[in-house]
Amino acid sequence: QAVVTQEPSLTVSPGGTVTLTCGSTTGAVTSGHYPYWFQQKPGQAPRTLIYDTSIKHSWTPARFSGSLLGGKAALTLSGAQPEDEADYYCLLYQSDGREFGGGTKLTVL
Amino acid sequence: QVQLQESGPGLVKPSQTLSLTCTVSGGSISRGNFYWSWVRQPAGKGLEWIGRMYSNGNTRYNPSLKSRVTISRDTAKNEFYLEVSSVTAADTAVYYCGSEPPGLWGQGTLVTVSS
């Protein structure tokens, strides 16, 4: 089964920009993998920020954006806020179904 | 907007079958191009995709769980279900149901496997 890869942890300064990536051991991630991005804060259910690569929900802050970058799915946070500190998971469509990445712990410091 | 709510026993004995219900409101599980999914999260760990059912009833499962998992539905009740057989402590987790697209999820329900 293919493995979905994410950075285990990243740190961003308040007001700074950071890009989280989501790769697949099978090769380049494309729109056909229908990438999703989830945000999860401690004690809370995960919520979808981005689906189908770049589509935002009504609750997704404008500072988050999704794209494809260098063969991976990417979640870019521009102008980080303290409340953005959370775990972020990507979800890809794979040949066997769907697969989550291991998650990225984002620290805003 | 579609809303989803998980329900079911919070405690299941080892070797038994875990059964959960996802009640959907605001949309039909048998119409449109939507997938109705289950994921889970053990305490302190990441998310795991369990499987999903398309609006036409077709299912797809995580290969690592496929032999023990069944997703079914009752279109009259607008509910879909998860069964996991032969459970062990490793199946202890918060279970979430959701719809894709666009990725709407319930609040989750904790299931503990213990004697």
Side-chain angles (χ1 to χ4, degrees):
Chain A
Q1 190 174 0
V3 174
V4 177
T5 61
Q6 294 185 250
E7 299 86 1
S9 64
L10 290 170
T11 299
V12 61
S13 299
T17 296
V18 64
T19 297
L20 290 66
T21 68
C22 176
S24 173
T25 55
T26 61
V29 175
T30 70
S31 59
H33 287 88
Y34 303 98
Y36 277 51
W37 288 96
F38 295 77
Q39 179 190 63
Q40 187 176 36
K41 297 181 179 180
Q44 297 183 14
R47 66 171 184 171
T48 305
L49 290 179
I50 301 283
Y51 65 100
D52 293 354
T53 305
S54 59
I55 303 175
K56 298 181 186 183
H57 278 282
S58 58
W59 55 77
T60 304
R63 59 185 179 272
F64 287 94
S65 63
S67 65
L68 296 175
L69 192 65
K72 296 182 178 182
L75 177 69
T76 299
L77 170 58
S78 303
Q81 300 296 311
E83 60 265 30
D84 299 327
E85 187 161 294
D87 293 326
Y88 293 84
Y89 295 92
C90 68
L91 176 66
L92 298 181
Y93 174 78
Q94 305 274 43
S95 59
D96 292 334
R98 298 281 258 166
E99 182 85 19
F100 279 100
T104 296
K105 183 175 184 62
L106 182 66
T107 300
V108 181
L109 188 61
Chain B
Q1 175 125 320
V2 169
Q3 293 186 311
L4 306 100
Q5 179 67 58
E6 307 87 350
S7 60
L11 182 64
V12 181
K13 288 182 167 47
S15 80
Q16 293 189 342
T17 295
L18 176 162
S19 298
L20 295 176
T21 298
C22 183
T23 302
V24 179
S25 58
S28 170
I29 64 171
S30 59
R31 296 194 192 125
N33 298 321
F34 299 103
Y35 294 95
W36 304 93
S37 304
W38 289 97
V39 305
R40 69 182 183 180
Q41 186 174 37
K45 296 187 178 181
L47 295 163
E48 180 179 31
W49 184 79
I50 299 172
R52 67 184 185 183
M53 174 178 281
Y54 191 51
S55 50
N56 66 0
N58 288 347
T59 54
R60 198 82 178 268
Y61 301 120
N62 185 325
S64 67
L65 299 170
K66 188 175 183 178
S67 62
R68 300 193 294 125
V69 168
T70 302
I71 296 175
S72 60
R73 67 180 182 175
D74 185 330
T75 56
K77 293 182 177 180
N78 214 39
E79 295 177 341
F80 63 106
Y81 311 103
L82 173 69
E83 288 191 334
V84 183
S85 63
S86 305
V87 297
T88 70
D91 295 305
T92 295
V94 177
Y95 287 75
Y96 299 97
C97 63
S99 70
E100 302 174 60
L104 300 174
W105 301 90
Q107 283 303 300
T109 187
L110 173 62
V111 178
T112 301
V113 178
S114 175
S115 56

